[in-house]
Amino acid sequence: MSPLAIIFLLLLLTISAMAKTRQFEWRVEYMHWSPDGVEGVVMAINGKFPGPTIRARTGDTISVELTNNLLTEGLVIHWHGISQRGTPWADGTASISQCPINPGETFVYRFIVDKAGTYFYHGHYGMQRSAGLYGSLIVELAKNEKEPFHYDGEFNLLLSDWWHKSSQDQQIDISSKPFRWIGEPQSLLMNGRGQFNCSLAAQFSKSPIPQCKLRGDEQYAPHIFHVHPNKTYRLRVASSTALSSLHLAVGGHKMVVVEADGNYIQPFSVENMDIYSGESYSILFTTDQDPSNNYWISISVRGREPKTPQGLTILNYIPNFASKIPNFPPPLPPLWNDYNYSKSFSKKIFGLMGSPKPPTRHDRRLFLLNTQNRIEGYTRWAINNISLVFPTTPYLGSIKYGINNAFDTKSPPNTFSKDYDIMKPPPNPNSTYGNGVYMLKFNTTIDIILQNANILAENVSEIHPWHLHGHSFWVLGYGDGNFTTEDAETTLNLNNPPLRNTVVVFPYGWTALRFSADNPGVWAFHCHIEPHLHMGMGVVFAEGVHLVKNIPNEALTCGLTGKMFAENKHK
């Protein structure tokens, strides 16, 4: 064994010896709550909204004993950004990695967190993220390791959007004929808190909405961030929004972006930043402003005409009163459709020196065109003209056990017609349902070209943040219009691309990704806008499923796997 291999083995043994099992018992139930001052119903965990924050260290095992106390619906929880190596059944994707957990049942998620970073968890069944089923998951370095940057304190900021219409009503709306769009959210929430009938910054606005008069103990009172002057703080921020792309600013303070989706990046300084659903970042800021003032932290809608007020909270410089309103207006965001502004931020993100580099060549390249379509009068989203519907038997079980007729065994298309005009609505808007799987050869290099296009309406193309389960991928580049052979030869960055698990494709543009199909399991790849996934905007990858071991039977007790277990039991 080489000296380098011995050192690596000793490091792994050290981390393993220091690792802990962190056990949680959770019950999920509906509760009356006022996230923005208007009482509604949230999906709470152990009586909390958002759910409890999990903190662990690299190498720790997370064990969550999850009991479904919902009265009439199943649930699952997805651990967003966690690779689930060796435990693909714990990924928490209904109909892909497991059956929904039925009312009254308990399921144990048990997995190792193998990479430090800023993550979160959320429901992955129906529209349960819209109902508030989400929380933060922070993985710190092992005790003997150090971050490549310094800070004096740390905060966590989980972003979300909120509707007064229930998630069940939203689900019915987008599944109806004729189609009913859910509309824009009523409020933007920071750590589950927003304001609808009042504003923290009413004195700076011409709006008739009154100034908030809060005691501080209301469910919708802002989560204040308390800081000391002349210190550097790490802000871990993640977006679990169901629809909204957001713009974040800390008034008067520069932000240095140092982490994206659990991966270190080359630090760069900005005055504000965009964050899309499914993304997470760490930013550093120094409290070097006038210490006699407090300052705004604001979020605003991007990429959609903003019909939702800014989300606001306060950066409180101690010893000022936390209730002291900043003496200047909240930061103004760029125009909602200034996509060049958004692109300039995304194109500043590069992998930190020493980060893993992508393989120089791909073994397979998939071109995925997302379009808005109709099927039998229903409005749907489709990839290469196939709108994803999920089977009743989880793919992981049906592929592992070789069960026939569980899903369409014909592979979805690898590409789309090169004559397709992405600048116009589809000439034939009709699409088809499908639940086929892209079978990826294990340990090969896969390229994905995400191609955006016009929707059914004229002159409209939307932002779509895409999330890959079970992997990080290298973002090789972005471009406008159709991806071309010239782009493949000259535009792609193979030198220092960032590793991500979520990436945006801009209107009328393309985004190029590369990943290694080296994690045995079945994995979703989908738009992280919840109604878009519900309407069919996703695909499924399978790789090395024959290598998966120790799938608990409880994960697969529905559909044909459930029938198989029952028959075997009676033999």
Side-chain angles (χ1 to χ4, degrees), residues 391-437:
T392 55
T393 304
Y395 292 106
L396 183 62
S398 58
I399 297 173
K400 173 66 177 176
Y401 297 115
I403 298 175
N404 297 321
N405 304 317
F407 61 91
D408 184 358
T409 55
K410 180 182 177 182
S411 177
N414 285 342
T415 189
F416 58 94
S417 171
K418 296 309 175 188
D419 296 328
Y420 189 91
D421 189 347
I422 66 164
M423 304 304 293
K424 295 180 180 178
N428 177 3
N430 296 315
S431 181
T432 57
Y433 296 115
N435 58 19
V437 176

Side-chain angles (χ1 to χ4, degrees), residues 22 59 62 91 107 113 156 165 173 333 343 369 378 380 442 461 532:
R22 301 181 186 268
I62 304 294
D91 188 49
F107 181 81
V113 288
N156 187 45
K165 179 179 286 190
D173 281 352
K343 292 172 187 176
L369 172 71
Y378 293 96
R380 300 283 297 182
F442 188 59
S461 182
H532 289 184

Side-chain angles (χ1 to χ4, degrees), residues 18 23 46 175 185 197 249 281 360 373 410 427 447 512 515 562:
M18 297 172 64
Q23 296 183 310
N46 292 356
S175 305
N197 287 323
Y281 292 95
T360 55
N373 300 79
K410 180 182 177 182
D447 275 10
F515 72 96

Side-chain angles (χ1 to χ4, degrees), residues 15 29 46 73 91 177 232 235 303 355 433 454 500 527:
I15 292 175
E29 59 194 337
N46 292 356
E73 61 185 295
D91 188 49
K177 185 171 63 173
T232 297
L235 182 64
S355 298
Y433 296 115
N454 203 99
R500 306 292 303 264
C527 178

Side-chain angles (χ1 to χ4, degrees), residues 40-117:
V41 173
V42 301
M43 201 171 275
I45 300 176
N46 292 356
K48 294 182 178 182
F49 168 76
T53 295
I54 292 178
R55 297 194 80 95
R57 291 189 180 275
T58 306
D60 285 353
T61 296
I62 304 294
S63 178
V64 178
E65 186 178 297
L66 184 69
T67 300
N68 180 359
N69 281 352
L70 307 175
L71 299 177
T72 58
E73 61 185 295
L75 70 89
V76 296
I77 288 183
H78 169 55
W79 314 93
H80 188 108
I82 304 302
S83 66
Q84 300 294 352
R85 289 189 178 274
T87 52
W89 52 266
D91 188 49
T93 45
S95 299
I96 297 179
S97 63
Q98 70 172 109
C99 303
I101 306 164
N102 289 324
E105 291 184 346
T106 296
F107 181 81
V108 179
Y109 289 101
R110 188 178 177 87
F111 54 91
I112 292 173
V113 288
D114 57 3
K115 190 176 185 181

